[in-house]
Amino acid sequence: MLELEYNNDEYADTMTMAMNMANRTVNGVPVEAILKPIEMNEELVQRIAHRKVKVPEIAIVEPDPQWLDHFETFRSRILAAFEPPKNEDDPQEGADNASRVTILSVNHVGSTSVPNLPAKAVIDIDLVLSSNTLSSETFYVPRLEAAGFQFLLREPEWHGHRFLVASEPMSCNLHVFGPQCAEVERHRIFRDWLQQHDDDRELYARTKRDAAAISREKGEPVMGYTVRKDEVIRRIMTRAFTELGYLSG
């Protein structure tokens, strides 16, 4: 997934390039929030459970057309899990419906969403809900668990992120966010840019392969692999933001 960070000097330089963005939004998200990522703090991550299935090896494989089919399988499961109760006259189901959390979008993101891009064989999905807060978890978590996802992490300070995983028909990372989330917009922008720009797609593929090889050699967890891609991701995102008019050239 996209982890885009700036140090203080880089952020200051980036924000001085912004062009009259104070009141501009994209899908309800302020452009300024899209340009300024929230830094993740691992100390604030709340672990809910440990994986039942071993985390996939850090290996970059050739693109597989079936990845799109597998995304649709996961998407169908998620949508089915949130279907309204069949018997609206049942008092219990009526109470359940009164506190219903609704799906705003189910987005295929990450490298497997980009045709012709080598990737780790893991489907990444951004699930955007009308509410993903602690009080809403009693509604959506059991439904997602019944659909085959395991709830692993809660990150309230990082866009309220909830992280779940599944393993059939292939490995899947499910990222649950609330409405108007800047991180969701960044994921979409990065995906769309790579789909449309062969040169940056090829650059990112080389970067991923090199980062994965080093991480395997050092026996690192996935975070080391992710950090090694940060600089290239930052450069690609800067090009995307500039073309979109969020930054001046």
Side-chain angles (χ1 to χ4, degrees), residues 202-223:
E202 292 169 3
L203 169 63
Y204 191 48
R206 293 194 301 272
T207 301
K208 287 157 63 68
R209 287 194 175 102
D210 292 345
I214 295 172
S215 291
R216 287 198 306 274
E217 181 180 344
K218 293 179 176 291
E220 293 177 336
V222 71
M223 187 55 68

Side-chain angles (χ1 to χ4, degrees), residues 225-243:
Y225 161 78
T226 299
V227 169
R228 282 193 174 84
K229 300 185 298 176
D230 279 349
E231 173 58 24
V232 167
I233 290 173
R234 185 189 69 79
R235 298 203 315 258
I236 293 173
M237 289 298 284
T238 298
R239 286 192 281 274
F241 290 152
T242 301
E243 183 166 294

